[in-house]
Amino acid sequence: MRETDTAHDAGSPCLLFVDDDRDIQVAARLLFQRRRIKILSAYDAAGALTLLASHPVDLVLLDLNYTKGARTGAEGLALLKDMLVLRRDLPVLVVTGHSGVSIAVEAMRTGATDFVMKPWNNDRLVSLVTSVLEKCGHNNGVDAEPVLITASDAIKQIVSEADRIAPTRACVLISGPSGVGKMLLARRIQALSSEASAAQSFSAEDCDDLPQEGGVWICREIEALSPTLQRRLTDRLDGSAPPRLIALSSLDFAALSERLQPKLMLHLGMVSLVIPPLRERPEDIAALASHFLHYFSARHGLPEPQCDADHIAALQAEAWPQNVRELRAALERVVIMGEWQLSASKAANQTSEPQTLRDTEKSLVEAALRRHSFNVTQAAKELGLTRPALYRRMARYGL
Ligand SMILES: Nc1ncnc2c1ncn2[C@@H]1O[C@H](COP(=O)(O)OP(=O)(O)OP(=O)(O)O)[C@@H](O)[C@H]1O
């Protein structure tokens, strides 16, 4: 759940206050609005992450427990970690009562800037917020990494395994069909690793050589690596200062083992994470829908469309061959059009049915090419065709 306060001009600093207690939210609102500080309210972790991704938040005030009766601070510590994955330098002030000083200290170790005990002293809180805002400056844009939404047990388990191995230097293989979130998970591992520098991302399909520097390498479509580069990569991984490789593939481990050299597979088999297709994770569809509707409404400055149980059921009934990427695009369209029409092609089909098999094939090919900005490899993959087969059809239809 979340609430957005738009009462102030864009120039004022923006706080995000995460606390499930509505009375305390009201008190904070009054306190900061008077000082021309904009305040967004989130009542749980999911709402907080969505607001952080969609608004230029300068500072977070973070209570550590959101579920009734919770006192351990575990929810807040997990949220703190997720927020710092999105924005490494985000100033976070922990505001805690029940959990006590020891949890607040643990939060500081996780990356919080400071803490305030509840009930807070108004003057002390305001002066702390003001001094942190002065030190950290004003954030003019939304520059957070995309949020990784985790609602299903399947994804939660994968993310917790990824978090566990993130600080090590182990090679990781992330597999799963197109658009399931392999790159997003790789970026989270990189963010939680001990590497200070940004990861180097490249696609095996169009790479002539490996990067020179070490650090973290995120290699997409590892199955397309040429035999020469496979040997070179294995040598680098066997060497004295190896890069940390995070390999992504839409093939599973067995299929990959048939394509890649056994020596390289030894490295890739170190940690293997498999992300299932979206249609097998209905809980994620509901959580992603709520996140994307809010996110795109904020981004386009449009009202957030209503989303009831029937809408969620309709989304869960779709096949989503392109997984989260497709769901995301469909929901952006819902926000922009202001109505629940999930795809442009479906809307078009309602008015003009293609008359022949040839027309149908042409429109499918054309739509896939457009969706992938005329990237033939990606469009062929989506259509289940080889690249030459797609080229033949493009020539046939003059595309
Ligand atoms: N769990 C998730 N929560 C929020 N957004 C997600 C999630 N999974 C994927 N996305 C979004 O879906 C889109 C596709 O994700 P990503 O690029 O990570 O997929 P991929 O598996 O690497 O795809 P491909 O194999 O086609 O390159 C991105 O916009 C990403 O932010």
Side-chain angles (χ1 to χ4, degrees):
M1 271 197 289
R2 58 225 149 197
E3 230 165 69
T4 313
D5 164 32
T6 48
H8 289 94
D9 54 282
S12 47
C14 175
L15 292 192
L16 168 60
F17 183 28
V18 192
D19 196 317
D20 60 310
D21 186 326
R22 286 175 184 272
D23 294 338
I24 296 183
Q25 286 279 6
V26 171
R29 202 165 266 261
L30 291 173
L31 181 64
F32 287 105
Q33 279 182 346
R34 248 186 281 138
R35 288 161 175 88
R36 300 204 61 76
I37 294 178
K38 193 160 133 182
I39 183 156
L40 308 172
S41 302
Y43 303 90
D44 55 26
L49 289 172
T50 300
L51 283 174
L52 186 57
S54 48
H55 292 79
V57 172
D58 294 299
L59 182 149
V60 177
L61 288 176
L62 182 71
D63 175 56
L64 294 177
N65 299 293
Y66 322 116
T67 311
K68 215 169 163 35
R71 282 167 179 260
T72 62
E75 287 173 297
L77 290 176
L79 174 59
L80 173 62
K81 185 164 108 180
D82 286 345
M83 290 197 296
L84 294 174
V85 164
L86 300 192
R87 294 241 326 254
R88 195 187 272 255
D89 301 324
L90 181 70
V92 179
L93 299 179
V94 166
V95 188
T96 185
H98 296 310
S99 300
V101 178
S102 61
I103 300 291
V105 171
E106 195 173 335
M108 300 278 290
R109 244 184 261 130
T110 309
T113 313
D114 209 335
F115 68 90
V116 179
M117 299 306 285
K118 271 189 201 161
W120 65 59
N121 170 299
N122 279 352
D123 291 340
R124 163 150 159 72
L125 181 63
V126 169
S127 87
L128 185 59
V129 163
T130 316
S131 80
V132 174
L133 283 173
E134 272 168 16
K135 227 179 281 160
C136 300
H138 187 30
N139 180 22
N140 288 316
V142 182
D143 53 2
E145 288 278 326
V147 182
L148 176 61
I149 301 293
T150 58
S152 66
D153 286 345
I155 283 288
K156 281 188 187 153
Q157 216 172 324
I158 293 165
V159 171
S160 112
E161 179 61 5
D163 287 5
R164 196 182 65 76
I165 53 91
T168 72
R169 299 215 84 249
C171 275
V172 188
L173 169 65
I174 306 176
S175 45
S178 177
V180 279
K182 298 185 291 297
M183 182 53 95
L184 202 51
L185 188 63
R187 292 209 176 283
R188 181 180 174 96
I189 294 174
Q190 141 77 13
L192 294 173
S193 75
S194 40
E195 293 285 337
S197 53
Q200 305 190 58
S201 305
F202 58 96
S203 167
E205 213 173 32
D206 36 51
C207 110
D208 306 322
D209 205 352
L210 301 174
Q212 293 302 310
E213 313 84 61
V216 177
W217 292 1
I218 301 179
C219 176
R220 295 192 307 276
E221 300 172 284
I222 186 88
E223 68 276 7
L225 210 60
S226 71
T228 313
L229 287 184
Q230 288 180 48
R231 270 192 299 280
R232 229 176 268 169
L233 177 57
T234 310
D235 288 346
R236 289 289 296 269
L237 294 173
D238 287 340
S240 56
R244 190 207 192 155
L245 175 68
I246 305 178
L248 315 185
S249 177
S250 50
L251 299 183
D252 64 17
F253 194 81
L256 213 49
S257 304
E258 286 176 14
R259 293 262 195 119
L260 298 179
Q261 295 160 2
K263 280 187 199 164
L264 179 56
M265 287 309 293
L266 284 181
H267 289 284
L268 296 183
M270 210 60 77
V271 178
S272 167
L273 304 171
V274 183
I275 308 184
L278 184 60
R279 63 177 175 280
E280 292 175 14
R281 310 184 256 131
E283 303 97 308
D284 286 333
I285 294 182
L288 284 161
S290 145
H291 167 72
F292 286 137
L293 288 174
H294 183 78
Y295 173 78
F296 285 118
S297 309
R299 205 166 120 174
H300 293 295
L302 290 169
E304 186 171 336
Q306 283 286 329
C307 178
D308 59 25
D310 289 344
H311 292 124
I312 296 293
L315 293 174
Q316 289 172 336
E318 292 278 325
W320 304 116
Q322 294 191 77
N323 297 290
V324 186
R325 179 176 290 117
E326 189 176 355
L327 176 68
R328 186 179 191 272
L331 291 166
E332 181 170 12
R333 188 165 191 282
V334 167
V335 169
I336 291 170
M337 304 308 284
E339 58 175 20
W340 277 86
Q341 182 71 58
L342 289 181
S343 80
S345 57
K346 275 181 200 152
N349 280 348
Q350 283 177 353
T351 50
S352 62
E353 284 292 331
Q355 292 113 29
T356 64
L357 191 58
R358 187 186 155 89
D359 287 342
T360 307
E361 185 175 73
K362 181 181 175 193
S363 52
L364 280 175
V365 168
E366 193 169 1
L369 284 165
R370 281 193 197 290
R371 263 196 302 280
H372 294 283
S373 312
F374 280 78
N375 178 321
V376 173
T377 307
Q378 303 246 336
K381 198 158 120 190
E382 184 195 324
L383 291 164
L385 295 172
T386 61
R387 279 161 41 113
L390 178 53
Y391 276 123
R392 275 198 299 280
R393 282 168 176 78
M394 288 167 69
R396 186 181 310 152
Y397 301 127
L399 295 171

